[in-house]
Amino acid sequence: MSVLLTIDGNRVSVPAHTSLLDAALTAHISIPTLCRHEDLQPKGSCGMCIVKINGQPGFKRSCVTEAEEGMSVFTSTPEIRDIRRGILELVLAAHPADCLQCIKHGKCELQTLAERFEIRDLRYDRYARGLSVDKSSKGIVRDMNKCIGCGRCVEICGETQTVASIFFRNRGADTIVAPPFGKGMGDSVCVNCGQCVVYCPVGALYEREQIDEVWKAIDDPRKTVVVQIAPAVRVAIGEEFGLKPGELCIGKLYAALRAIGVDVVFDTNFSADLTIMEEGTELLERIAKGGPFPLITSCSPGWIKFVETFYPDLLGNLSSCKSPQQMLGALIKTYYAERSGIDPANLVSLSVMPCTAKKFEADRPEMNASGLRDVDYVLTTREIARMFRQAGIVFADLSEKEPDPILSGYTGSATIFGASGGVMEAALRTAYELATGKTLERLDFTQLRGMRGVKEAEVDLNGLKVRVAAASGLGNARKVLDMISGSSHRGEPSYHFVEIMACTGGCVGGGGQPLPNGLAKRECRLEGLYAEDRGLPLRKSHENPEVKGIYAEFLGKPGSERAHKLLHTGYSAREGW
Amino acid sequence: METTFMTSRDTLLSALHETQSREKGKSWITDGEALQIARRYHIPLAELDGIVSFYKMFAREKRGSHIIRLCDSLSCRVRGSLDLYHHVRRKLGIQAGMTTPDGRFTLEIVNCLGACDKAPNLMIDDSLVSGITIGAIDTLLDAMQEAEL
Amino acid sequence: MNEKTRITQFAELEAPLDLAKYIESGGYQGLLAAMAKTPDELIGIIKDSGLRGRGGAGFPTGQKWESVAAAKEPYLVCNADEGEPGTFKDRFILEKAPYLVLEGMTIAALAIDAHQGYIYIRGEYPEIAKNLATAIEKAKAGGYLGNDILTNGFSFDVAVRVGGGSYVVGDETALLNSLMGNRGYPMLKPPFPTEKGLWEKPTVVNNVETLACVPIILACGATAFSSVGSRDCPGYKLFSLSGHVATPGVYELPMGTKVREVLEKAGGVTGTLKAIQIGGTAGPIFGPVALDYCLDFPSMRKVGGALGSGAIVAINTSVNMAHVLEVTMRFFAQESCGHCFPCRYGTRQLDYMARRIALGSGRADYLDLMRETAAVMVGASFCPFGQSVALPLTSLLDGFGDEIASFITEQDYLKEVEA
């Protein structure tokens, strides 16, 4: 059912229950807001989106008011503009005026609206909140001096991710968002997924930067900087330079990394293929042994901390495989060091990730297979883009370059690791062929693709109906886990193999990806990954010649002792609540 | 986890009151108590702290053995609450929101105690003291000091 | 005047918790009468009585009950979160006549078929909360509450829940949030609590005084109740008188009584009257012109005010109006819940400016800026709390602006305060 109404003189027809804010968009009117985000529940906090409805007293918040038949709505009267300017002045009086130094400069929703409404002078006396900046976390910095209290982070952390590491604290003008016990994010149950960073309209939550350290390493002649690039970065980094979301930029990325002085360029996609070999072997072993089921993937470090914190009983179900980042990091400090004759102590292992949790993962004490850190520095997609800009690189115009050989070749299976369901799809392509000895006719497991929270499929492996699921977003993970916990009491496993990614849509929507990073953007990036997969000559991990090579030359066979030492890890329960 | 059943949330504020003043002279909720309550009610800790910090009567940091809540509503103000405040401030040597160095008293300003007919009012812990004068407040505080010596 | 319809007739008992004494003095006659009626009849009687909610909004009580009549097991909540500064009439009722409120709740429960009720009482009333729990136990033991009330087959239980110190929680949606163990944020209306309230079930929230009127209406009849007061707004009303009056206290007078007469009941103003605040901190501060205002919901609305809770604070010429401005703005800043931006930041700025003025370090443009801030808050605050700041603020600036402005020029007022 649809309703017909008038917005600023435009006749529009929208489905019943559409908010006036969304209805106005159909008339090409973007009503300003500081708290509403299309991916989240409307909150009605900021008051910027007020509109006048003919015949009704006062003003109504368009984000929480539904369009009704025959309404006549005005979105920008002189009174409304005055009120909006008034709200902005009030917010700005409490907000640090350090826009030029702010990480969100140019991407800040408050700054954008202040500019839009010509807030040039403040009549109010400014005041500083004087709160200390929380740098306790490896992944995320929390600066409550800048918080405008929109509540998006509280929703994404508490409702979408069901982590609830932060919540509103205090009341009135003292309201902030905080972890419990007056502690920092680093001491909380925060899993570093960075979704709060994605949705923060201002510079109150942002990634912990490591750019300076990386420049130092690059500039140090004794050091050989070796970089790896995660699958999801290649279809997103172009957005930082005016290219379309989903546009494949891997050749430009290799070129830009060389241009800023990185010595060796590898690709995490290589170790994604390697992960499939190790994890596929693990799956086939469990099938042979009859469990424990389901095997659950372990690539997503936000997910790993989540399960350690909230579902320690399921730690035995996790694959012992390190994530592709850590696998490649370990191989750089061992295999590559050996081959190149470089002292591993002089190798700097750098990774470019779509993810803030990868910073935490690289810092985990056990991630030192070679005796040195597997990965020394993790930069997000946004950070590496900043480095390119600092170096004056005109990214969009770069000619494509190749990576260094050995640890960079990849198949289509690897590139779809950046998509929710991709690890599962890649694993099934390989597991099927290894288990049955037959060639898989149809490689695309479309039922495992897309933005849906939980996706399921069933594959016949030598007569065993293998049931698999892929969940993205930790709230969806929780649903699957609760189902698993419930079914384990009844004998029959609900699933044999489960893929979980902390962020909705998978790594394409990671906390380190270019902003804005909403669900619509993520879909475009997913499309970019599947397009690359389709176009690659090799699409199955076990067909990757470099992967075959490293087993022949260095690792032995999947699941070997050396593979276990370098490529596998363990987990431990963490204090919950 | 000592308790796994979930207690109905409508009793949460009452439980916070009870926990806060479980022992004589204690007027705040410790970390351990917050953790227990969070588990009992299945509330994430961050949310529990968020709830506690919303309500002015609860504290998560150590407060004095006695809470003096001095009312400064309009009704009390026009009957001398400001003078009372300045007197108590000087006598105890603390501003509103602070605790005496000996940990005996915390001074708070509240917006109405609902006894405006007998203004000015204050509450010491759970007891309402109405129609208070500077002399009466001295007697009261001195008696409390002595009682504890 | 029908003295039988006064709440205060039950407030003279020496032992308010003595159930037998309450019954002896006419208590539980209303419930007995109600037991013989159908829910529809009960709602009809309350509608006929013209009873309006005594919490502040003045919504017709019968209509509120009727809106949950079709609901299955709605909740009944007694709002005893009396936080409005200058108001102490609910304390008065709960201290002096707790059974009257329980009786009113039981009748309301019969009318809407509720089986669980809550009394949400503010944390600043711990003694009363304890006494209420005792009264509930005694009423249960006496067969007036709990299972199979008066062996009539109807069951209704009441639980006391204590608040934690928040003014905004007096708003019914915020109260429900608080009752559900959340931060006391107001919720968007619609849906109204009568559609989606406690635990998402239809819920009637009634003020203490409203519920105290109910047994009286049942015992004396709707006509007797509405024979007192004004036509649009019948019945007696409890007024809380404080400030500069000779004998402050709770006075029960018919709705529509003039401010002058109410003040006279309290022995008149001490000193020379300068200003009167009516309805609580969220109400305007009038000059002596308000002496002739009639105290009921529609009449007060007509003069740009609100009856609110029925609080009346008399202010004589010894009071500096910068004090009043400062106290009032501080109240708003301290009690703002912080959910919406206009109120969260607006109350902070208003408090700051008012305090600077009172301390003699204000600026001349503050007065205009305060008005404009209030206009933003009226237009864009999420709930009535933020919108209501304009009433006291603009009335103070309109009526006493020159006096307040003089502090800004003289720059010496109250400097000793910080010393």
Side-chain angles (χ1 to χ4, degrees), chain A residues 61 123-125 148 170, chain C residues 183 344 363 366 372-373 380:
Chain A
R61 284 168 153 69
R123 292 169 302 165
Y124 295 109
D125 292 348
I148 59 170
N170 308 327
Chain C
R183 288 164 67 87
R344 184 204 303 157
R363 284 205 321 253
Y366 278 177
E372 284 173 45
T373 309

Side-chain angles (χ1 to χ4, degrees), chain C residues 113-406:
Chain C
D113 197 29
H115 298 285
Q116 178 65 51
Y118 293 94
I119 301 176
Y120 184 100
I121 185 163
R122 63 189 305 224
E124 289 84 350
Y125 291 176
E127 285 302 321
I128 305 174
K130 268 181 225 152
N131 288 345
L132 274 175
T134 309
I136 288 168
E137 287 317 306
K138 288 191 177 181
K140 277 189 192 171
Y144 291 95
L145 199 61
N147 284 325
D148 194 14
I149 294 169
L150 298 176
T151 62
N152 203 343
F154 179 74
S155 297
F156 175 63
D157 205 350
V158 175
V160 178
R161 297 288 177 257
V162 183
S166 159
Y167 169 83
V168 168
V169 164
D171 169 275
E172 60 177 355
T173 59
L175 183 141
L176 293 176
N177 249 337
S178 181
L179 188 49
M180 291 188 283
N182 298 320
R183 288 164 67 87
Y185 282 168
M187 293 183 271
L188 199 74
K189 291 196 271 192
F192 291 91
T194 47
E195 302 159 68
K196 210 172 163 187
L198 195 62
W199 321 119
E200 310 233 312
K201 279 194 175 183
T203 303
V204 164
V205 183
N206 282 149
N207 170 258
V208 169
E209 186 184 351
T210 312
L211 288 164
C213 290
V214 167
I216 291 169
I217 293 168
L218 264 294
C220 303
T223 320
F225 180 84
S226 61
S227 69
V228 180
S230 43
R231 202 168 57 87
D232 286 348
C233 194
Y236 280 100
K237 172 82 188 89
L238 295 181
F239 296 101
S240 310
L241 268 81
S242 64
H244 294 134
V245 290
T247 49
V250 171
Y251 294 90
E252 186 169 35
L253 291 159
M255 279 282 193
T257 304
K258 285 200 166 143
V259 175
R260 182 189 307 280
E261 289 167 44
V262 179
L263 288 174
E264 276 163 15
K265 278 277 172 195
V269 174
T270 53
T272 308
L273 183 68
K274 183 176 189 180
I276 312 170
Q277 183 163 51
I278 300 173
T281 297
I285 292 146
F286 298 104
V289 61
L291 286 172
D292 291 317
Y293 292 167
C294 293
L295 289 163
D296 61 41
F297 293 107
S299 308
M300 284 308 297
R301 207 161 295 148
K302 257 180 238 154
V303 296
L307 180 64
S309 60
I312 297 172
V313 185
I315 301 163
N316 71 18
T317 47
S318 72
V319 174
N320 203 308
M321 295 314 273
H323 264 293
V324 179
L325 181 70
E326 188 245 321
V327 168
T328 308
M329 294 303 113
R330 190 208 54 218
F331 165 80
F332 278 97
Q334 286 188 350
E335 297 297 344
S336 169
C337 78
H339 171 65
C340 81
F341 293 20
C343 179
R344 184 204 303 157
Y345 295 109
T347 54
R348 165 69 176 71
Q349 287 290 350
L350 290 174
D351 177 39
Y352 168 81
M353 289 187 276
R355 193 150 20 91
R356 296 266 295 193
I357 290 170
L359 292 173
S361 50
R363 284 205 321 253
D365 65 335
Y366 278 177
L367 297 186
D368 283 345
L369 195 49
M370 289 181 93
R371 280 185 198 270
E372 284 173 45
T373 309
V376 170
M377 292 173 67
V378 169
S381 289
F382 183 85
C383 84
F385 175 81
Q387 293 161 7
S388 67
V389 77
L391 280 179
L393 180 70
T394 50
S395 64
L396 271 170
L397 296 182
D398 288 346
F400 308 93
D402 292 344
E403 182 184 343
I404 292 166
S406 73

Side-chain angles (χ1 to χ4, degrees), chain B residues 31-43:
Chain B
D31 282 0
E33 288 168 341
L35 193 63
Q36 270 184 355
I37 291 177
R39 284 178 174 164
R40 178 148 40 108
Y41 286 88
H42 286 218
I43 300 173

Side-chain angles (χ1 to χ4, degrees), chain A residues 1-3 14-19 66-67:
Chain A
M1 214 190 67
S2 66
V3 294
V14 293
H17 307 300
T18 304
S19 73
E66 289 181 2

Side-chain angles (χ1 to χ4, degrees), chain A residues 281-517:
Chain A
T281 305
E282 202 177 355
L283 175 67
L284 296 177
E285 274 170 14
R286 287 209 193 178
I287 288 173
K289 279 196 304 190
F293 291 120
L295 175 68
I296 311 180
T297 60
S298 56
C299 315
S300 170
W303 149 243
I304 292 297
K305 192 174 175 214
F306 182 85
V307 70
E308 286 180 327
T309 307
F310 299 107
Y311 290 90
D313 296 350
L314 292 176
L315 287 178
N317 290 67
L318 284 183
S319 161
S320 63
C321 289
K322 284 183 179 175
S323 72
Q325 162 177 281
Q326 297 305 132
M327 283 195 184
L328 191 53
L331 290 175
I332 286 168
K333 296 278 175 91
T334 54
Y335 174 68
Y336 175 72
E338 205 176 291
R339 263 187 76 125
S340 64
I342 302 171
D343 179 356
N346 284 328
L347 285 174
V348 174
S349 165
L350 164 68
S351 65
V352 178
M353 294 283 140
C355 181
T356 41
K358 286 285 172 192
K359 290 172 183 274
F360 173 84
E361 181 185 48
D363 196 65
R364 291 175 74 115
E366 68 274 19
M367 293 294 179
N368 61 343
S370 63
L372 299 159
R373 304 305 308 159
D374 292 348
V375 175
D376 294 294
Y377 301 113
V378 177
L379 297 180
T380 61
T381 312
R382 294 192 295 272
E383 287 170 273
I384 199 73
R386 271 175 221 135
M387 288 185 74
F388 293 163
R389 282 193 289 264
Q390 285 175 31
I393 288 164
V394 185
F395 187 86
D397 296 345
L398 286 177
S399 308
E400 302 199 344
K401 286 242 166 82
E402 290 296 316
D404 288 271
I406 329 170
L407 300 174
S408 59
Y410 65 87
T411 71
S413 276
T415 216
I416 58 172
F417 262 57
S420 161
V423 176
M424 182 59 67
E425 183 167 342
L428 291 178
R429 289 178 189 175
T430 288
Y432 181 86
E433 296 203 351
L434 296 185
T436 64
K438 290 187 272 188
T439 304
L440 188 62
E441 293 302 327
R442 217 173 50 86
L443 290 183
D444 296 350
F445 288 81
T446 47
Q447 64 272 49
L448 291 171
R449 296 184 178 183
M451 297 289 289
R452 277 170 299 129
V454 180
K455 297 166 283 189
E456 294 173 306
E458 198 176 81
V459 189
D460 193 324
L461 285 189
N462 281 342
L464 175 68
K465 295 252 185 262
V466 173
R467 285 184 298 278
V468 303
S472 73
L474 292 170
N476 293 316
R478 203 180 268 277
K479 284 179 207 156
V480 172
L481 296 180
D482 288 341
M483 202 184 345
I484 292 167
S485 304
S487 69
S488 65
H489 302 299
R490 294 192 298 271
E492 180 73 352
S494 40
Y495 300 113
H496 295 89
F497 193 17
V498 170
E499 176 207 293
I500 290 176
M501 294 293 158
C503 300
T504 304
C507 307
V508 290
Q513 290 283 62
L515 301 174
N517 182 12

Side-chain angles (χ1 to χ4, degrees), chain A residues 524-540:
Chain A
C524 300
R525 295 173 191 156
L526 287 181
E527 195 35 58
L529 290 177
Y530 288 116
E532 189 191 16
D533 170 37
R534 277 195 301 277
L536 284 169
L538 297 174
R539 298 182 63 195
K540 290 171 254 178

Side-chain angles (χ1 to χ4, degrees), chain A residues 229-280:
Chain A
I229 305 135
V233 176
R234 66 205 65 210
V235 289
I237 190 158
E239 295 163 39
E240 291 277 347
F241 302 97
L243 302 175
K244 284 200 298 285
E247 187 167 335
L248 181 68
C249 295
I250 190 63
K252 289 185 195 300
L253 250 174
Y254 294 148
L257 286 163
R258 291 195 191 286
I260 61 168
V262 168
D263 300 295
V264 183
V265 178
F266 290 146
D267 198 319
T268 316
N269 274 16
F270 165 82
S271 50
D273 276 333
L274 193 63
T275 302
I276 290 301
M277 299 309 293
E278 293 295 322
E279 204 161 282

